[in-house]
Amino acid sequence: MRTGLTKREKTTAIYFDEYGSMIEVQTHNTDLKKRLTAFAKEYPQCCRQIDDDEHGGLTFEIEKGRLSFRLTAPYSEERKQAASEFAKKLRNF
């Protein structure tokens, strides 16, 4: 879908405060839009689409506790080497 927006303008914003029970997620990210749309269809009591900006962005409201962030530490050199060797073995399998 052509939106006329540059990649820099296609943002994802997550808004919440310590008081409320809901999180607002506004995104242009295709994968995230698909995941949130599917989640909203399956769990309408927890998540719903509240806006479509007609430029490719969707806004969802989702219960706190239903959205998480995962931080991953960088791989050590040993782990990178082991992963590389494992991938090479799979390729030759």
Side-chain angles (χ1 to χ4, degrees):
M1 168 188 229
R2 300 213 90 196
T3 63
L5 299 175
T6 65
K7 286 192 177 215
R8 182 170 295 278
E9 294 170 318
K10 294 178 182 179
T11 60
T12 296
I14 301 170
Y15 302 99
F16 63 94
D17 57 40
E18 298 301 318
Y19 176 75
S21 63
M22 301 301 279
I23 297 171
E24 190 173 298
V25 179
Q26 188 282 327
T27 188
H28 288 88
N29 181 280
T30 303
D31 182 57
L32 185 55
K33 289 188 300 186
K34 287 178 182 177
R35 292 172 60 199
L36 286 167
T37 298
F39 189 82
K41 285 180 183 174
E42 189 168 350
Y43 304 103
Q45 71 278 15
C46 300
C47 180
R48 66 186 179 106
Q49 182 183 328
I50 58 173
D51 193 25
D52 179 344
D53 71 6
E54 298 187 17
H55 294 285
L58 298 179
T59 303
F60 294 84
E61 191 174 66
I62 184 168
E63 284 181 352
K64 277 187 180 177
R66 305 289 174 203
L67 182 70
S68 67
F69 298 91
R70 185 179 70 160
L71 300 174
T72 56
Y75 281 4
S76 66
E77 287 303 317
E78 295 82 22
R79 187 168 178 189
K80 285 181 191 177
Q81 184 65 31
S84 175
E85 290 173 14
F86 182 73
K88 287 176 187 175
K89 286 180 184 176
L90 284 179
R91 210 174 333 153
N92 294 327
F93 183 64

